[in-house]
Structures are given as C-alpha cells and as structure tokens.
Amino acid sequence: LVQFTQLNSWLNSIGLLQKVAGAAHVAVIHKMIKERIEQKCKGEFESSFLQPLENWMDTELYHWLFAILGDGCAGSQHVEEWKPRLKYFMYKTYADLRIGELFSIIVEFPDSTPAIQDLKECLEMTNQRGQLVNSLREAFETRLLHPGANTSLILSQYVSAIRSLHVLDPTGVILENVCEPVRQYLRTREDTVRCIVSSLTDENTTELAEELMHGEPHPIDGTGTSDSEDDEEDWVPDPVDAPPARSSRSGKAPDIISMLVNIYGSKDLFVSEYRTLLADRILSTFNYDTDRELRYLELLKLRFGESHLHFCEIMLKDVADSRRINSNIHSCRGRAGKKPLPVDINAMILSAVFWPLFREEKLKVPDAVETSMAEYRGGFEALKAMRTLEWKTHLGLVEVELELEDRTLSLSVSPVHATAIWHFQEKERWQLDELSSVMHVTPGTLRRRLAFWVSQGVLREESPDTYIVMERQKGIHKAHSAEVMVEAEPESATASVQQKREEELQVFWSYIVGMLTNLESLPLERIHSMLRIFAMQGPESAQCSVGDLKRFLDCKVKEQELQFANGFYRLPKTGR
C-alpha cells in the first residue's frame, strides 16, 4: 500500500496520474457508490438516505482518494475538483434507483414520503424530470392499465399518485404529464363513475370519503384544482416542461375530487350516478332513517352546487313523507275500527318525475297482497285527494317467516322470492313453467330466485325444473345443492345504463317516423343530421351519436318496425 501510494504521488507530481489511472479511479469510485446505494437504499422508502450517503462519501470515499492521491496540496486540489462530479454522480445514481421504484413508492404513500423528498432534491440537481415521466408512464401502462386491474384499484393508485406527485412537484406539471394515460383509460371503463361515487359515500372509511368529509369544500371548477389563492410572493414560474396552454397554479394543493370529476369534464354525469346510487340504497334497505344520506348530500352540495342535487333532495324528502303517510294511513284504519290488512304493508311513496328510471319486471303478487295494496291505495287517496298510487310490485323488501317441521327461518327477501315461496303453501311441488305462468315471471328469472331457496335448504330440485319443499333436513344429502348458483346480493332497483340509453333514444322515434313518412327513405347520416337540427337543440335534450343511432335503428329493423336496404332506412309498406 505504501509503494502504491508513493507511485501515485510521483505520477501526480509530474502530472501523469489522471492520464494513466484516472479512468480506473473513476470506475472504482462509481462502482463503490452504486453498490452502497443498492445495499442501503433499495426497497427502503421510509427513511431519508441522501444525508447519510453524503456523510459516507466525506468520511470514507474521500479519505480513500486522499490515500491514493496523497495528502499534499496537489492531492487535496484534485480531491476538491472531483467532489462536485462525485456528488452529482451519487445524486443521479440515487435518482435512477428511486425513479425505477416510483410506482411502488406511490403505492406506499404517505409512508414513503422521505423517499419522495429525497427524489425531489435529486431532481433539482440532476434534471431527470423527462426520464421520470417516461418511466412512470410506462410503469402505469404495464402494471396498472390493463383488464386484470379492478377500477377501484386504479382509482386508489391514481389518488395516491395525485398526492405523492404533488409533494414531488408542487407545480403539478409532472402529475399532468404522467397521469394523462390513467385519465384516458378510466374514461373507457364503464364502472368508473360508479366507483368514484360509491367511494365518496362509502360507510367504510376510504380516501375519497375522508376527502369529502374533511377536505376543503371548494366547488368543482373546470381545471380540477381548488379555488384557494396563494400569496403572490410565494409564486414561482412553472418548469420548462410545462404545456404551453397550461395556466400556472404553482404550490396550490390539488383538489382530488375535482380532478376525478374532471376526468369526464362534466359533473352532471356524477350527479346522475349519485342519484341512481341513492335510489338503490334507499330501495334495497327500505329504511326510513336518512340521516346518513342527508349528511352526504349536504357535503356533496358544497362540491356540486344545490341546483344539481335538487332531485336528490326531493328523493330524501319522499322518504320522510312516506314515513308520515304510512303512520297516518295505519292510524286512520285503527281509529275507524277496520280490520288489519291481510298482509301488513309499509310503502315507500316516490315522486315518479324525480327518481331515476326503475328496472322493469313483471310480477303477479298473491291475492292477499293485492287486497292489502288496494286497501292501502284507498287510504292514500283519502289522505291525498286527486292523487293515487302505481305499485312497483317487483321492488321492495319482504320480511318472511317460514315454519317448517324441524325449523323456523326469518329472512328479508325481494318480492319475487317471497311470492315464489308463498305459492309452495298451496302445494309442495311445482314445475318451473307452471309457477312461471302463475307469477308472470320469465322462467330464467324465476330459476335464479328459486336457487336462493334451494341454497337455504327450503326447496330441493327433485328433477330438472321440478321443485319440492324440504320440511325436514335430517337424512337429506346436501351435496346436490353445492352446484346451485346463489345470488350474493340483491339486484339494482334502477334500470341499467343500457336500458336508460334505450329509453332516451326512444324519444327520437316519433321524429324518425315523421321523417320517413314524408321522405320515404333516408340514409343513416341524413337521419342523424336532421335529428341534430330538430331534436337535439335544447339544453335538456338527449344526445345521440351516429353509433348509438345505428344500433337503435338496427333494433327497430329486427323488430320489423323498419326496413333497411342499400344503405337506406324506410318504413314497412304494410302494418302501419
């Protein structure tokens, strides 16, 4: 070692050390720095490492250089010249490691905040923003934006990215450049809006629910940021990689809810989805207690505005009115000395105009239930003059108590489930087609409902599509029921998106019939252009793309209400 040090000192004294051994020294030092960073920092996000790494370079690495170059003035001068380059290399190597791990760092945010702060300091020195953007976009596209990832998982990662990247770059430029593919992909998912709205009003604590309840209640704007203003002296210009058309909002905290809403650029879609979700919650639980929903509604009003949520407010008012009307009807029957209803009924009375479109399903309820409904309707008409009730017999909740030979079951089920098991009081064996015709329910729907009773051990499928009551469970082999598909949760009370779209398109049918009556035949593009002129002008009117119109017209062709030949649609010559 002494001879090695003397040789280096002689070479340095005659000015040949850098030429002879400089490349070797640099390679060894770089290797030492890389190995140190890999060993100490890889996968560790909860501690800051930049200062410990600088201390290691001061106490060990530079001492090794002094040993090689000598402690004289020339050696010290060379070491001082190398220090900025070695520090830059250390920062760049550390930034490369953290950029490669940034996806995992975002997943573990906020526990990984020290790693983000270190990376922020590195970027200020090394200017690797472009590398970071390209690497993280590629990580999102390969690890997150694929059919195997749940929409809720993608949203959770997107929210974490918003928060973590704001710590990394308060200007929001990196966030905009990185997350644009995420926003585009979320727009292609059908359940994105429902996932966002469900998370906002989830009973279980979620990031979005916390943001709604405890975040700053700034109204939704067009850029996805809060309306709070920063002091002018705190303003700093945007980085050079900011898009030219971007308005500067350096340092402003991101409004996560606004950014999620503006994935679609319109809050009307979210308000409509919340209205549907609210209807499902009310009708699936059939509970008159709306304190929780009122709390969420008031919080959402601060974000979306009162006018947009007016329908939801009326829906909750309907629930409160229903409780009062139910109490009045039952108390009036008691004062009048009337007999109790054959089947006790508590109705949810809804204002049809303000509620979303309901799922349509035929169901003929038992005679005793029809009698109770008729008497309840009479009580309502006496209480509310000039108004009546139109029953949705397939919606609601029925409390059922089944008394079998060796057990008693108490369940809350849908009206279709309750009606199906009611008929097994009349006889213990039913054919599926026979029971389907009695209930006015399609065989496929009825088979799914009966599968629930089979899973509960109440019915047994004796032979294909033949069901009998299981009065006693003793001695019954239960392996057969393992193959039965059970409905894990109740169906939505509201119509599906496709059903709602078909209802909206049906508005255009009268216009289309008038066009074809006057002009005999028209191509698709001409029909669409005329609809845009005559039927899509109002602010509240339904909108229709060429693709939607083509699917709608093709359905009419299948139903033989239209004819299609040589690219032209026309009305049938007969039958109209």
Side-chain angles (χ1 to χ4, degrees):
L1 180 61
V2 174
Q3 293 177 353
F4 177 70
T5 303
Q6 288 178 349
L7 177 61
N8 287 327
S9 179
W10 293 336
L11 291 173
N12 191 32
S13 63
I14 62 177
L16 295 177
L17 180 63
Q18 290 295 324
K19 295 180 180 180
V20 173
H25 292 159
V26 170
V28 171
I29 293 171
H30 284 184
K31 182 180 179 182
M32 291 173 64
I33 293 174
K34 286 182 179 180
E35 289 178 351
R36 182 77 178 186
I37 291 175
E38 286 281 334
Q39 292 173 1
K40 297 294 184 180
C41 310
K42 188 173 183 179
E44 299 291 333
F45 308 139
E46 298 183 14
S47 301
S48 176
F49 288 97
L50 286 181
Q51 191 59 48
L53 286 172
E54 289 190 23
N55 294 338
W56 169 77
M57 292 177 69
D58 290 334
T59 57
E60 295 186 29
L61 191 63
Y62 296 150
H63 282 188
W64 181 78
L65 277 176
F66 278 121
I68 293 176
L69 302 176
D71 296 332
C73 294
S76 299
Q77 182 179 355
H78 280 296
V79 171
E80 291 300 325
E81 290 175 357
W82 281 30
K83 278 186 178 182
R85 287 181 288 170
L86 293 180
K87 182 177 180 181
Y88 176 85
F89 180 79
M90 185 272 288
Y91 270 69
K92 185 178 184 304
T93 303
Y94 184 83
D96 289 339
L97 175 68
R98 288 305 187 219
I99 287 173
E101 297 176 323
L102 191 52
F103 185 90
S104 300
I105 291 173
I106 291 173
V107 171
E108 297 190 18
F109 186 82
D111 295 337
S112 59
T113 301
I116 295 176
Q117 294 286 5
D118 280 352
L119 181 57
K120 179 181 179 181
E121 188 175 342
C122 289
L123 293 179
E124 292 173 356
M125 176 178 288
T126 62
N127 194 25
Q128 292 172 271
R129 294 168 65 93
Q131 177 187 340
L132 183 148
V133 169
N134 293 333
S135 174
L136 189 54
R137 282 178 71 127
E138 183 179 354
F140 276 145
E141 291 172 359
T142 56
R143 299 177 62 179
L144 190 67
L145 307 182
H146 55 79
N150 292 330
T151 303
S152 57
L153 175 65
I154 298 175
L155 286 171
S156 177
Q157 183 73 347
Y158 180 46
V159 171
S160 294
I162 292 173
R163 289 176 168 164
S164 57
L165 294 180
H166 176 69
V167 175
L168 181 65
D169 174 29
T171 65
V173 174
I174 290 179
L175 175 64
E176 284 189 18
N177 293 333
V178 165
C179 290
E180 182 57 32
V182 182
R183 290 189 288 268
Q184 291 177 357
Y185 185 78
L186 285 172
R187 278 195 289 269
T188 66
R189 290 238 173 167
E190 294 182 356
D191 60 339
T192 298
V193 178
R194 174 158 284 248
C195 282
I196 295 173
V197 176
S198 299
S199 298
L200 282 173
T201 58
D202 192 359
E203 284 185 341
N204 302 320
T205 302
T206 64
E207 291 181 333
L208 290 182
E210 286 289 326
E211 182 74 16
L212 180 65
M213 288 187 286
H214 303 300
E216 290 295 327
H218 300 299
I220 302 292
D221 61 14
T223 61
T225 58
S226 61
D227 290 338
S228 59
E229 296 294 336
D230 296 328
D231 294 333
E232 291 186 3
E233 58 265 23
D234 295 333
W235 178 88
V236 292
D238 283 340
V240 293
D241 57 342
R246 180 180 183 272
S247 59
S248 177
R249 53 176 186 271
S250 175
K252 292 186 179 180
D255 187 344
I256 294 173
I257 296 177
S258 297
M259 295 183 74
L260 291 173
V261 169
N262 284 299
I263 289 175
Y264 291 89
S266 170
K267 55 187 175 183
D268 294 336
L269 193 62
F270 288 82
V271 172
S272 175
E273 186 61 41
Y274 172 67
R275 184 164 154 247
T276 300
L277 186 67
L278 179 62
D280 275 340
R281 283 180 175 168
I282 292 172
L283 298 180
S284 62
T285 60
F286 212 86
N287 191 341
Y288 294 120
D289 185 9
T290 58
D291 290 345
R292 170 180 168 273
E293 299 298 345
L294 280 170
R295 183 174 70 254
Y296 280 118
L297 179 61
E298 292 302 321
L299 290 170
L300 289 171
K301 281 182 182 178
L302 298 175
R303 296 279 184 171
F304 295 97
E306 292 195 16
S307 60
H308 286 82
L309 292 164
H310 178 61
F311 281 17
C312 299
E313 197 170 9
I314 293 178
M315 289 165 63
L316 293 177
K317 182 177 181 297
D318 283 345
V319 177
D321 290 344
S322 297
R323 173 189 286 185
R324 178 175 49 81
I325 292 171
N326 269 302
S327 177
N328 286 340
I329 290 176
H330 289 299
S331 61
C332 288
R333 287 184 62 83
R335 288 195 298 268
K338 295 182 180 179
K339 295 180 180 180
L341 295 174
V343 177
D344 189 27
I345 289 181
N346 288 298
M348 190 74 74
I349 302 167
L350 314 178
S351 304
V353 175
F354 300 98
W355 286 69
L357 187 68
F358 292 117
R359 170 175 55 86
E360 292 298 331
E361 187 176 310
K362 290 184 179 180
L363 174 65
K364 186 181 186 306
V365 296
D367 293 339
V369 179
E370 282 192 348
T371 301
S372 298
M373 287 179 171
E375 292 191 25
Y376 189 98
R377 182 190 290 115
F380 177 82
E381 291 172 350
L383 189 65
K384 298 281 187 178
M386 305 299 293
R387 295 175 64 185
T388 188
L389 296 178
E390 179 184 342
W391 293 100
K392 297 288 184 182
T393 55
H394 61 290
L395 300 179
L397 202 62
V398 182
E399 295 181 359
V400 176
E401 185 173 297
L402 303 179
E403 295 182 358
L404 303 168
E405 288 186 9
D406 61 347
R407 64 200 184 281
T408 300
L409 299 177
S410 296
L411 300 167
S412 294
V413 296
S414 73
V416 183
H417 287 104
T419 303
I421 203 64
W422 177 290
H423 287 292
F424 279 89
Q425 294 181 119
E426 303 168 4
K427 60 179 184 178
E428 64 176 15
R429 180 179 284 102
W430 281 91
Q431 294 285 337
L432 182 69
D433 292 340
E434 182 185 5
L435 185 57
S436 173
S437 63
V438 171
M439 293 175 56
H440 297 180
V441 175
T442 61
T445 300
L446 181 58
R447 184 182 289 109
R448 291 195 299 272
R449 304 303 188 270
L450 292 177
F452 170 79
W453 293 117
V454 173
S455 71
Q456 297 295 321
V458 177
L459 299 180
R460 180 166 65 90
E461 193 171 1
E462 185 181 40
S463 60
D465 292 345
T466 301
Y467 297 86
I468 62 170
V469 178
M470 294 175 60
E471 289 286 353
R472 302 180 66 85
Q473 284 189 322
K474 293 180 181 180
I476 298 297
H477 184 59
K478 299 180 181 179
H480 177 70
S481 65
E483 300 178 357
V484 176
M485 182 183 66
V486 180
E487 292 181 338
E489 56 187 32
E491 293 186 16
S492 171
T494 55
S496 66
V497 175
Q498 182 179 357
Q499 290 171 329
K500 292 177 182 177
R501 191 62 184 147
E502 290 174 357
E503 187 75 14
E504 291 175 356
L505 292 175
Q506 196 64 35
V507 174
F508 300 127
W509 180 238
S510 60
Y511 290 94
I512 295 170
V513 171
M515 295 177 202
L516 298 178
T517 301
N518 294 326
L519 302 175
E520 292 190 359
S521 63
L522 289 171
L524 176 66
E525 291 76 11
R526 181 75 185 282
I527 294 175
H528 184 259
S529 63
M530 293 180 72
L531 285 176
R532 290 184 61 186
I533 295 172
F534 297 110
M536 303 185 198
Q537 292 297 318
E540 300 298 326
S541 61
Q543 299 300 310
C544 175
S545 66
V546 175
D548 289 337
L549 180 60
K550 185 178 188 307
R551 285 188 288 272
F552 177 70
L553 296 179
D554 288 346
C555 288
K556 292 297 183 182
V557 172
K558 290 180 182 179
E559 295 168 1
Q560 299 184 354
E561 295 188 52
L562 281 181
Q563 293 178 348
F564 180 72
N566 300 323
F568 285 80
Y569 291 92
R570 57 173 55 85
L571 296 173
K573 294 182 180 179
T574 59
R576 185 168 293 276

